Coordinates of all heavy atoms in Angstrom, one line a residue:
Chain A
A92 N -11.4 -24.8 5.4 CA -11.2 -23.6 6.4 C -12.0 -23.9 7.6 O -12.7 -24.8 7.7 CB -11.7 -22.4 5.7
V93 N -11.7 -23.0 8.5 CA -12.6 -23.0 9.7 C -13.6 -21.8 9.4 O -13.2 -20.8 8.9 CB -11.9 -22.7 11.0 CG1 -12.8 -22.4 12.1 CG2 -10.9 -23.8 11.4
Y94 N -14.9 -22.1 9.6 CA -16.0 -21.1 9.3 C -16.6 -20.7 10.6 O -16.9 -21.6 11.4 CB -17.0 -21.8 8.5 CG -16.5 -21.9 7.0 CD1 -15.8 -23.1 6.7 CD2 -16.6 -21.0 6.1 CE1 -15.2 -23.3 5.4 CE2 -16.0 -21.2 4.8 CZ -15.4 -22.4 4.4 OH -14.9 -22.6 3.2
Y95 N -16.6 -19.4 10.8 CA -17.2 -18.8 12.1 C -18.5 -18.3 11.9 O -18.6 -17.4 10.8 CB -16.2 -17.9 12.7 CG -15.0 -18.4 13.3 CD1 -13.7 -18.3 12.4 CD2 -14.9 -19.0 14.5 CE1 -12.6 -18.8 13.0 CE2 -13.6 -19.5 15.0 CZ -12.4 -19.4 14.2 OH -11.3 -19.9 14.6
C96 N -19.4 -18.2 12.8 CA -20.5 -17.3 12.8 C -20.2 -16.3 13.8 O -19.4 -16.6 14.8 CB -21.9 -18.1 13.0 SG -21.9 -18.9 14.6
A97 N -20.8 -15.0 13.7 CA -20.6 -14.0 14.7 C -21.8 -13.1 14.7 O -22.5 -13.0 13.7 CB -19.3 -13.4 14.4
T98 N -22.0 -12.4 15.8 CA -23.1 -11.5 15.9 C -22.5 -10.1 16.2 O -21.4 -10.0 16.8 CB -24.1 -12.0 17.0 OG1 -25.2 -11.1 16.8 CG2 -23.5 -11.8 18.4
E99 N -23.2 -9.1 15.8 CA -22.8 -7.8 15.8 C -23.4 -7.1 17.1 O -24.6 -7.3 17.4 CB -23.1 -6.9 14.6 CG -24.5 -6.7 14.3 CD -24.8 -6.1 13.1 OE1 -23.9 -5.7 12.3 OE2 -26.0 -5.8 12.9
S100 N -22.6 -6.2 17.7 CA -23.1 -5.5 18.9 C -23.5 -4.1 18.3 O -24.6 -3.6 18.6 CB -22.2 -5.3 20.0 OG -21.0 -4.8 19.4
L101 N -22.6 -3.5 17.6 CA -22.9 -2.2 16.8 C -22.9 -2.7 15.4 O -22.4 -3.7 15.2 CB -21.8 -1.2 17.0 CG -21.5 -0.9 18.5 CD1 -20.3 0.0 18.6 CD2 -22.7 -0.1 19.1
A102 N -23.4 -1.8 14.5 CA -23.4 -2.3 13.1 C -21.9 -2.6 12.6 O -21.0 -1.9 12.7 CB -23.8 -1.0 12.2
R103 N -21.9 -3.9 12.2 CA -20.7 -4.5 11.5 C -19.6 -4.7 12.4 O -18.5 -5.1 12.0 CB -20.3 -3.6 10.3 CG -21.3 -3.5 9.2 CD -20.8 -2.7 8.1 NE -20.7 -1.2 8.5 CZ -21.5 -0.4 8.7 NH1 -22.8 -0.6 8.3 NH2 -21.3 1.0 9.1
L104 N -19.7 -4.4 13.8 CA -18.7 -4.9 14.8 C -19.0 -6.2 15.4 O -20.1 -6.4 16.1 CB -18.7 -3.7 15.9 CG -17.7 -4.1 17.0 CD1 -16.3 -4.0 16.5 CD2 -17.9 -2.9 18.1
L105 N -18.2 -7.2 15.3 CA -18.5 -8.6 15.7 C -18.0 -8.9 17.0 O -16.7 -9.0 17.3 CB -17.8 -9.5 14.7 CG -18.1 -9.2 13.2 CD1 -17.5 -10.3 12.3 CD2 -19.6 -9.2 13.1
D106 N -18.9 -8.9 18.1 CA -18.5 -9.0 19.5 C -18.5 -10.3 20.1 O -18.0 -10.6 21.1 CB -19.1 -7.9 20.4 CG -20.6 -8.3 20.6 OD1 -21.2 -8.9 19.6 OD2 -21.1 -8.0 21.6
S107 N -19.3 -11.2 19.3 CA -19.5 -12.6 19.9 C -19.3 -13.6 18.8 O -19.9 -13.4 17.7 CB -20.9 -12.8 20.5 OG -20.9 -11.9 21.7
W108 N -18.5 -14.6 18.9 CA -18.3 -15.6 17.9 C -18.5 -16.8 18.3 O -18.5 -17.4 19.5 CB -16.8 -15.4 17.6 CG -16.3 -14.2 17.0 CD1 -16.3 -12.9 17.6 CD2 -15.8 -14.0 15.7 NE1 -15.7 -11.9 16.7 CE2 -15.4 -12.7 15.5 CE3 -15.4 -14.8 14.6 CZ2 -14.8 -12.0 14.5 CZ3 -14.9 -14.2 13.5 CH2 -14.5 -12.8 13.3
G109 N -18.9 -17.8 17.3 CA -19.0 -19.3 17.6 C -17.7 -19.8 17.7 O -16.7 -19.1 17.5
Q110 N -17.6 -21.1 18.1 CA -16.3 -21.8 18.2 C -15.7 -22.1 16.9 O -14.5 -22.6 17.0 CB -16.5 -23.1 19.1 CG -17.0 -24.3 18.5 CD -18.5 -24.4 18.2 OE1 -19.2 -23.3 18.2 NE2 -19.0 -25.6 18.0
G111 N -16.4 -22.1 15.9 CA -15.8 -22.4 14.5 C -16.2 -23.8 14.2 O -16.3 -24.7 15.0

Side-chain angles (χ1 to χ4, degrees):
Chain A
V93 175
Y94 293 85
Y95 293 101
C96 59
T98 188
E99 61 181 11
S100 56
L101 308 168
R103 301 177 295 277
L104 176 67
L105 307 182
D106 70 327
S107 296
W108 295 65
Q110 82 275 21

